[in-house]
Amino acid sequence: MLVLGITGGTGAGKTTLLDAVSRRGGGCADCDRLYYELLASPGPLREELRAAFGDVFLTDGTLDRARLGGIVFEEPARMAALNAIVFRHVGEAVRERLAAAEAAGRTLYAIDAINLFESGLSGLCAATVGVLAPERVRAARIMARDGISEARALARIRAQKPDGFYRERCGCILENDGSEAEFTEKSEKFLTFIIKEFTP
């Protein structure tokens, strides 16, 4: 099974590439979604967060993000501890899904992770691709998607890793600097190339 690691900042257009993977029968592990699924039900992740940071859950069972943020954001060691916990549990969930997909006979799978390299998940991938787009394009997409102001959209973008981070680490870069149709075509061509490159 060919495993692709797909990363890049918010609004860059990763979903278009992931849709192209799906059209070819590929599966996907969305690490953000997995994290929220693990948080939503009692289990090891919740227990470890509580043990490390105290009672950081609200009475309805949801994560008290403001409380947890107040604990970790000003303490680099605590932030590192939080990331280590989250990366470990999400990583285990990704590995389970990869094993299930391979057992089911899938030949293509994508790991969608903004922290692909920091979490160590890049080590599971035959190839890594960073999806990049100009800041103005990303801001417009985020504004339309989330219904927020340009200032808030730009703040989100600038709080994330710069493009150079992905250029230095990813094996491939896809520039999403045209129309959605153009990037869809670019994504399909990329998959055709990468499948030929890594399939015996």
Side-chain angles (χ1 to χ4, degrees), residues 116-128:
L116 184 70
F117 296 97
E118 301 95 317
S119 65
L121 289 172
S122 58
L124 301 176
C125 305
T128 56

Side-chain angles (χ1 to χ4, degrees), residues 90-110:
V90 172
E92 289 172 0
V94 169
R95 287 174 174 84
E96 289 173 3
R97 282 156 178 76
L98 286 176
E102 192 159 24
R106 286 194 189 270
T107 58
L108 179 63
Y109 205 88

